[in-house]
Structures are given as C-alpha cells and as structure tokens.
Amino acid sequence: MSDIALSIPQSRVAQPRSATRVLRAIQVTCIFIIALVIVSPLLLLVVASLKDDRFQILADMGSFRAFWVSNPTLSNYAEVGHLSGELAFGRYLINSLIILITTVCSGLIVNSMAGFVLAWGSLKGRAVILAIVIALYVIPQESIIMPLVIMVSRAGMSDTFAVQIVPWVASPLYIFLFYQFFSQLPKELLEAAEIDGASFFRAYRSIFLPLSLPALATVSILMGIETWNQYLWPILVTQTDYARPIAVAIATFFGQDSIYWDRAMAASVLMMIPILGLYLAFQRWFVSSFIGSAVKG
C-alpha cells in the first residue's frame, strides 16, 4: 500500500513537467517559423544579388534554389557601384546619404527645440498649439502633396537637394515625441538652470538636450527610415538625375522590355546597408526608449 501511495504523487508531478516541455517546444517551433518567414526575403535578396544570371534568378523563384548560389560573384555590385555612366548607382547612393544626413541632423535640432518650447516655454496658447500639432499628424501626407509640389515649384526649388530636405525637416510626430519626453523630465532642472543665470536656450542646449539621447535615437531612426524610403516625392519634384535618390534609381531596372533582377537585387542590398548602420549605431537608446514607453504606458 505504501509503494502505491508514493507512486501516485510522483506521476501527478511528472505530468505538469512533460506538459511544460511540450509547450516550450511548441513555442520554440513557432518562434523559429516566424523568424524564418521574416528573414527569408532578406536572405533571398542577398543570395540573388550574388548571381550573375538574371534569367536564372527568375527561374529559381518559387523553389529552394532561390536561397542558394553555387558560384557567388560581386559583379552586380561592381556594375551598380559606379559614380558615373549609365549605371551610376554609386552617385544615387551618395545623393541619398546627403539627403538623409542633412534631413535627420536638421530635424533633430528643429523638432527638439519645438518640443522643448511646447513643454517648458512661456508661450501663450501652448495647449492650442499642441492640439494643432497633433491634428496635423493625422492628416495624410498624400492629401497635401500636390499643393506642396506647386509651392516648391513656384519657389524655384524643383530638382534640387533642398526640395527633398526642407519640407520634411519639421514633423508633427517628432515634435510631439520630443514634447512628451521633455515634459516628463523634472521642472527643477529648468529652475536650477535659471537660478544659475542660464538662459532658456542654454538650459535646453546644456541640460535637457544631453538627457534626451533615447528620444534623439528614436527620432533619428524613424526619420532616417522615412527619408530613406521616400519615393513619390522625389519623382514629383525632380526631373533629372542630379539629386535623385537611390530609391527612384532602382525603379529604372524594371523596364517595359526587360527586368534586371541581378542589378536590382545588388542595388537593394546597397540601399539597405546605410539605414541598417543607422539603426545599429542608435540601437541601444532606441530599444531603451521603446521599453521605457511601454512600461510607462
């Protein structure tokens, strides 16, 4: 009787353990499948860019051969990396970098200053201005793009770098993000700076801005992705290749007569590297900012 009595509790304990192991195995399998689905297009892109036969790339689509290359080559990268000539994608890449760096740096200064003034400034009607800023964010960009095209055309800004930078420096979303971050900092910081004789702008520059690294990283990445992926706006405001970004240049591979999959894949990989580098550079503060927002929310 005593052996039977001892065996029953052990079996009851073993059942939850086995169920936990099965549940963990199912979770790992689901995570692996999801990761595979997310990574597979990126892997296909890199593998296809190392193939030198565009017809073979098209033939391999839809099979596992699309994820394998027997004789990898960098010839596609060499062709699209030129700074001049018919395939001057190196030049387009430099154009995109100029637009990206200028827009993000200018945007960080303008949006952070606007957010700081809305958070701690003595401006009258701050609540109304903040409500207008939030309202502007929900307006679709496409609904105002044609009047904006007419305005920049009348201002003589068409087909320049400035027309791809100036209209997108100030953004309601990023102003609100900075406002939200600055308003959560203690007001005693500003009062202490004023007691020490610091001006409002100096308090922003010397105290609040160095403390806003998570907000700066988040806005840098979001603004960088938005700027880097601009496609419709450059097409509408540029007529020549002088200042066109690489996102527009890649579309030239998809002609009516033929599609150059090999060069398009290589150009897409080159287009992906700078924005990936921007994310890796600010990853630490970007992740901490999102975690902090989730915890506070």
Side-chain angles (χ1 to χ4, degrees):
M1 291 295 291
S2 60
D3 294 340
I4 295 174
L6 290 174
S7 63
I8 292 175
Q10 289 177 357
S11 62
R12 288 179 178 176
V13 172
Q15 286 179 356
R17 289 181 178 176
S18 61
T20 304
R21 291 175 182 172
V22 172
L23 182 60
R24 186 173 299 173
I26 293 174
Q27 290 176 343
V28 172
T29 305
C30 291
I31 292 173
F32 178 76
I33 293 173
I34 293 172
L36 192 63
V37 170
I38 294 174
V39 174
S40 57
L42 180 62
L43 181 61
L44 187 147
L45 174 69
V46 175
V47 171
S49 68
L50 299 175
K51 297 179 180 179
D52 60 351
D53 188 348
R54 60 189 171 100
F55 298 105
Q56 188 61 44
I57 293 173
L58 191 60
D60 292 342
M61 292 289 183
S63 68
F64 286 105
R65 290 179 300 178
F67 299 96
W68 175 255
V69 53
S70 56
N71 298 311
T73 176
L74 297 177
S75 59
N76 296 324
Y77 292 95
E79 290 182 10
V80 302
H82 294 155
L83 296 177
S84 61
E86 184 181 0
L87 297 175
F89 280 83
R91 172 56 190 272
Y92 294 117
L93 189 61
I94 293 175
N95 290 348
S96 293
L97 288 173
I98 293 173
I99 297 168
L100 172 71
I101 294 172
T102 310
T103 305
V104 172
C105 292
S106 305
L108 290 178
I109 297 172
V110 172
N111 294 310
S112 63
M113 290 180 67
F116 182 69
V117 171
L118 286 175
W120 297 116
S122 57
L123 189 65
K124 292 184 179 179
R126 283 190 304 163
V128 176
I129 297 175
L130 183 62
I132 295 174
V133 169
I134 297 174
L136 288 175
Y137 169 64
V138 301
I139 296 175
Q141 190 182 90
E142 288 74 13
S143 63
I144 61 170
I145 201 165
M146 291 314 299
L148 198 56
V149 169
I150 296 174
M151 289 174 61
V152 298
S153 177
R154 295 286 177 83
M157 296 173 63
S158 298
D159 206 19
T160 62
F161 285 102
V163 75
Q164 300 178 74
I165 297 171
V166 175
W168 312 113
V169 167
S171 168
L173 172 62
Y174 306 135
I175 291 174
F176 179 71
L177 287 178
F178 276 113
Y179 160 79
Q180 198 174 30
F181 182 84
F182 286 132
S183 61
Q184 292 174 353
L185 295 177
K187 190 179 181 180
E188 287 75 12
L189 291 173
L190 181 62
E191 293 174 348
E194 290 175 347
I195 292 173
D196 289 342
S199 63
F200 185 75
F201 176 73
R202 186 175 178 184
Y204 153 80
R205 187 191 61 187
S206 303
I207 299 176
F208 285 86
L209 193 60
L211 293 175
S212 63
L213 278 178
L216 291 170
T218 302
V219 172
S220 296
I221 293 176
L222 296 179
M223 199 172 192
I225 294 173
E226 183 183 5
T227 304
W228 193 257
N229 293 331
Q230 282 275 9
Y231 179 76
L232 178 60
W233 179 251
I235 286 183
L236 293 175
V237 297
T238 59
Q239 291 78 42
T240 66
D241 298 335
Y242 167 70
R244 279 194 161 176
I246 191 171
V248 177
I250 288 179
T252 59
F253 287 126
F254 300 90
Q256 295 181 349
D257 300 328
S258 59
I259 300 176
Y260 296 91
W261 289 103
D262 48 354
R263 299 169 186 174
M265 296 293 182
S268 298
V269 173
L270 291 176
M271 179 181 173
M272 181 177 58
I273 291 175
I275 200 66
L276 188 61
L278 180 66
Y279 168 74
L280 293 176
F282 293 102
Q283 178 190 16
R284 176 184 173 187
W285 299 286
F286 182 72
V287 173
S288 64
S289 176
F290 265 81
I291 293 175
S293 300
V295 172
K296 291 172 184 174

